Structure formats: C-alpha cells, structure tokens
Amino acid sequence: MQGEGKAGKKIRSIDDLDISPSIVAKLKDSGYTSLESLVTASAQDLSVTLGIPLPTAMKIINAAREALDIRFKTAKEVKLERMNIGRITTGSKALDQLLGGGVETKTITEFFGEFGTGKTQLCHQLAVNVQLPVEKGGLGGTAVYIDTEGTFRWERIEAMARGKGLDPDEVMDKIYFIRAVSSDHQMAIVEELKELIPEKNVKLVIIDSVTGHFRAEYPGRENLAVRQQKLNKHLHQLQNLAEVFNIAAVVTNQVMARPDVFYGDPTVAVGGHILGHAPGVRVQLRKSRGNKRIARVIDAPHLPEGEAIFMITETGVTDVTE
Ligand code: GTP
Ligand code: MG
C-alpha cells in the first residue's frame, strides 16, 4: 500500500510528506529534492545534515520508501501488478497484436519515423480510443495532449470520434490540449500533471513531438550531450508519472532517412530512437503504398517479432481492409 501524507493526501513528492515546511525546506537545500533521493539516504547522515533527531530522519526515509512502494514483493505480487496494466487499442488489430494487446499503461511508447508516417494520426486516434470503455479497447479515461509542433487538429478528433460511434463533443471535452512553446515549458507542463491526472481521470499523456524543441534548442553535435541529458530527465519524469498513476505515455520522434547509409535500415539513424536503454516500447513507422503504414517494434524481447500493416483513413487508424 502506498502511504498517505498531509491531510490524507497521497504522497507524490517530498512536499506531501507529513513533516514541517521548515524540514522540507532544509531537505531541498541539502539536495534531497525528490522521494527517490531520500530512499537511499542514510538516517544518520540526514539527521546530522539537517540537525534533526535520528528517529525523525528514519521516519522521513521510511515514508519516502512507502510512498514509492519500495519493499520486497513476492513474484506473485509482481504478477498481480503486471496484470493491473491497461491497454489502449490503436484502432488496428494487427498493430495492437504487435504491441501485445495495445498501447500499455505504466510505460512510455515511442512512435518514431519520417514525416508523414502517421505519428500524429496515431496520437489523435489514441486520444479518442482511451475514452472507450475497457471492453471496447479503451480505459474509460481522458487524455492530455501536449503539442509542440502545432499539428493538433480538432477536426480529426471529431472525425475519429464519429468513426468510433462516440459523441464528438463529449470526446473533445475529454482531451486536455496544451501547446508547449519550449523544452523548459514542456518539462514544466509534465511536472504539473500530477495534479491534473487524478483530478480529470487522465489515462493517457501524449507528447507530439517529444524531441522537436530539444533538437531546435540544442542543435548539432556539440550540444548532443546536454540535449540528451535534458531529454533523459524529461523521459524519466514521464516514466515516473506513467508508473505512479498507471497511465499510458505516448511520445513521437521524427527521424530522417540517411542517404549515406547504404545497408541496414536507413531511417534508424539521424536522432535514432530516443528512449535508448530506458524502459519503454519503441515503434518504428514506415510508409507503404498509399495510405498504408508499416509498424515494427524495436528491441523488445517480450513482444512478438515482425511487422504490422495498418491504414490511415478518413475516420482514423484501421486495419487494412482489402
Ligand atoms: P511529421 O509530424 O511530419 O513527422 O509526420 P507524422 O508522422 O506525424 O505524420 P501524420 O500523422 O501527420 O500523417 C500524415 C498522413 O496521415 C498523411 O500523409 C495522410 O496520409 C494521413 N492523413 C492525415 N489526415 C488525414 C485525413 O484527414 N484523411 C485521411 N484519409 N488521411 C489523413
Ligand atoms: Mg506529426
């Protein structure tokens, strides 16, 4: 069970711990800015650094561990937690199957590919589909749509909602849209989501595209290290939200084909997929003939190998019908 802090509030940050504001301030000053940082702290050190009694320091550390649910669990408990994972249909059974039943909660799913491969269309579709009841492939929840490129179209949401037999106005009422104007803004938005998610029953957070601002603000090879560092922090922040709230996080990442690569897959190169070795599911999208698109899951030993073909139609993402 996860602990409760001030006024019975769930503990999501050190501000929620049931301790005085002056101790919270001291913690932050000493570099203990997150619950995670407290988990590995020694009670002795904390007591000395903050000038607080040892039992208080122990109490703080235990509260942080409890809040993050860090303790020995039996394999069976882990199994039950895994079963708790929700899945959102993409609209295509073939693509769902490739993803092990749809886009999963508690993890980040990255769609990457060249322009026009359907990344934004999939985001729109998932923002609609998450609202479906569980028996129809949704999670009966709402979506947050963070748009960094100005490519969100309510008209598409309307068309896709109709395609699913849903009331377009109701569907649009349950998509919380925000434009992120810079990478710092994007990070601040995600930071603040911990308030909105429980309040609005959010089950899906979309960032389209997650990399755009970072690439623009930190261009070239010389900025690569800083860029990746910031991006990693951002993804960690997002992964945390996904786990704590049992929601799905979907991000997109445009990659360009590299004409100088003659063997292997030329689209994997520039930018690459961003999740690197972070947990999560990476899905590469490629164009096929007409409105057909090919999806492939990259380095995910737990998912089936192979590819899925889907279509983007007037009413959204579907299986190939002919
Ligand atoms: P970038 O953001 O440029 O990297 O591309 P993307 O991967 O986000 O591509 P996007 O999802 O915008 O896909 C664009 C494609 O979706 C178009 O080329 C069309 O094939 C299809 N599409 C978009 N809107 C519609 C529509 O209203 N009707 C139909 N039939 N297809 C659409
Ligand atoms: Mg796009």
Side-chain angles (χ1 to χ4, degrees):
M1 274 323 289
Q2 301 205 345
E4 291 191 342
K6 282 173 190 156
K9 231 178 118 184
K10 256 203 170 166
I11 301 171
R12 309 205 196 282
S13 76
I14 64 169
D15 296 292
D16 303 329
L17 289 171
D18 196 12
I19 48 177
S20 72
S22 67
I23 296 186
V24 173
K26 278 190 203 168
L27 280 170
K28 288 184 180 169
D29 285 346
S30 312
Y32 297 104
T33 52
S34 65
L35 292 172
E36 285 86 352
S37 64
L38 280 171
V39 166
T40 50
S42 102
Q44 214 83 37
D45 287 350
L46 205 61
S47 155
V48 173
T49 316
L50 271 62
I52 55 172
L54 187 62
T56 310
M58 282 161 86
K59 206 184 105 194
I60 294 172
I61 292 169
N62 282 335
R65 287 184 183 167
E66 220 175 279
L68 292 174
D69 199 21
I70 294 176
R71 60 187 170 88
F72 276 108
K73 294 171 191 169
T74 63
K76 195 154 162 217
E77 280 180 276
V78 176
K79 178 186 170 187
L80 288 174
E81 279 178 13
R82 279 290 304 175
M83 285 167 66
N84 197 8
I85 284 178
R87 290 180 180 82
I88 309 166
T89 177
T90 58
S92 152
K93 288 203 177 72
L95 182 52
D96 287 351
Q97 207 168 11
L98 190 76
L99 297 172
V103 169
E104 288 190 348
T105 61
K106 294 197 182 183
T107 196
I108 303 176
T109 301
E110 172 191 351
F111 289 107
F112 72 99
E114 284 184 76
F115 73 94
T117 47
K119 302 181 292 295
T120 297
Q121 294 303 308
L122 272 164
C123 290
H124 281 68
Q125 188 71 62
L126 288 164
V128 172
N129 291 2
V130 69
Q131 302 187 32
L132 292 165
V134 172
E135 61 275 14
K136 291 201 168 150
L139 294 173
T142 69
V144 163
Y145 202 113
I146 304 171
D147 183 8
T148 71
E149 311 192 310
T151 52
F152 178 81
R153 296 285 173 271
W154 60 265
E155 295 91 333
R156 287 301 284 150
I157 298 292
E158 236 180 22
M160 289 172 176
R162 285 212 180 86
K164 290 282 165 206
L166 298 170
D167 179 330
D169 285 324
E170 277 178 29
V171 168
M172 288 194 287
D173 266 338
K174 290 182 182 154
I175 297 173
Y176 302 98
F177 169 86
I178 189 163
R179 183 79 203 269
V181 298
S182 68
S183 65
D184 282 334
H185 185 214
Q186 191 176 322
M187 290 173 85
I189 291 168
V190 170
E191 196 54 51
E192 282 163 24
L193 285 179
K194 54 180 182 288
E195 308 289 329
L196 190 81
I197 291 170
E199 192 185 308
K200 304 286 189 191
N201 188 31
V202 174
K203 291 287 176 194
L204 168 67
V205 171
I206 294 161
I207 310 182
D208 183 24
S209 94
V210 75
T211 41
H213 286 312
F214 290 88
R215 287 224 177 92
E217 292 165 31
Y218 304 95
R221 244 172 207 291
E222 64 275 26
N223 292 312
L224 194 64
V226 186
R227 184 216 291 170
Q228 198 56 42
Q229 202 179 9
K230 274 197 98 174
L231 197 49
N232 284 346
K233 191 175 161 203
H234 185 43
L235 291 168
H236 185 250
Q237 186 192 21
L238 196 61
Q239 174 66 32
N240 233 5
L241 278 186
E243 274 175 35
V244 170
F245 293 102
N246 192 15
I247 62 165
V250 167
V251 303
T252 70
N253 174 28
Q254 194 195 63
V255 297
M256 274 165 288
R258 258 178 70 168
D260 57 326
V261 174
F262 291 110
Y263 45 87
D265 188 334
T267 61
V268 193
V270 177
H273 48 76
I274 42 135
L275 288 176
H277 296 291
V281 179
R282 298 147 200 124
V283 187
Q284 184 189 35
L285 299 175
R286 300 192 324 267
K287 285 181 215 168
S288 181
R289 226 175 306 150
N291 55 358
K292 288 187 198 146
R293 299 291 183 273
I294 304 165
R296 186 160 62 133
V297 174
I298 309 291
D299 17 274
H302 66 292
L303 291 174
E305 278 192 31
E307 297 183 333
I309 307 180
F310 63 95
M311 285 196 315
I312 305 168
T313 71
E314 199 50 46
T315 51
V317 175
T318 62
D319 275 314
V320 175
T321 43
E322 19 122 308

